[in-house]
Amino acid sequence: MPSLKDLRLRITSVRSTRKITSAMKMVAASKLRRAQTAAEQARPYAASMDRMLGALASSLAGQSNAPALLAGTGRDQIHLIIAFTGDRGLCGGFNSAIVRSTRQLAQTLIAEGKTVKILPVGRKGRDQLRRDLSAYLIEGWENIGKKGVVFAEADKIAEQVIRMYGEGAFDVCTAVYNRFQSVISQVVTRQQLIPLKVGESEAAAGAAPYEFEPSEEAILAELLPRNLAVQIFRALLESGASEQGARMTAMDNATRNAGDMINRLTIKYNRSRQAQITKELIEIISGAEAL
């Protein structure tokens, strides 16, 4: 049974931990407001870019003169997976959910005889995937969005992906990230970035009798690389907001659990102290009676 001193030290330690988790919760809540606003503001632009590219791409899909980012390489052998995680922990299952989805996708592709390459964006994802998929990891990115996500960072990642695609390093590129829904809900999302997928709604929009100046090929050659950077930027913003939401929830739970533990330890301390006082009184009375 722990002594009274041990219980006092344990209570003091848990109280210090509760102060830290409470402070982290408030910091995450402050960062969440900015990250959530940025993610929500980026969604309409990214959606509009998708619709516009769909209208342009529907008339060129399947043609020999279609841009490479739209038409693809004609193969489906080498897959690049971009895993968007955080650089820090203490955010619940945020990082683990991305790693689990990335691992499942990679194992499925490997079982089908495909070649897999994983580009980790975030230190936590790289460290976890290194345990069993180290042979498939390529040099990734860290400290993205440390002072707030900016488009220049997404553009650098897009440049690396486009350079690899031009060198024939992969045929299909898929992004795996958490899409922010609420503080307690982040949805793991897989989005194919290369070749561009044209949905049914975009294809229908492309059936309208538009005339483009310059040609569709010239416009797509300019917009497709920009769209890749926009989609990566969107994934970074969604991931950033999801991370702060997950951290806020995790720290709130940790703070409440620390409070419950302090209450239990305090009750245990008081009972032990009372038992010790009672024991001392019994010894004093017994000694007095012996005299």
Side-chain angles (χ1 to χ4, degrees), residues 77-92:
Q77 180 59 33
I78 307 176
H79 287 254
L80 175 68
I81 304 173
I82 308 178
F84 292 88
T85 60
D87 292 310
R88 300 168 55 202
L90 298 178
C91 50

Side-chain angles (χ1 to χ4, degrees), residues 9-30:
L9 291 175
R10 184 73 184 278
I11 291 172
T12 302
S13 175
V14 176
R15 281 176 177 166
S16 299
T17 301
R18 184 173 64 174
K19 290 180 181 179
I20 294 172
T21 57
S22 179
M24 291 185 66
K25 173 190 171 183
M26 290 187 290
V27 172
S30 175

Side-chain angles (χ1 to χ4, degrees), residues 56-72 215-222 224:
L56 285 164
S58 59
S59 60
L60 292 177
Q63 297 184 15
S64 58
N65 60 341
L69 293 176
L70 172 63
S215 64
E216 293 95 326
E217 296 90 335
I219 297 175
L220 284 173
E222 179 68 24
L224 284 171

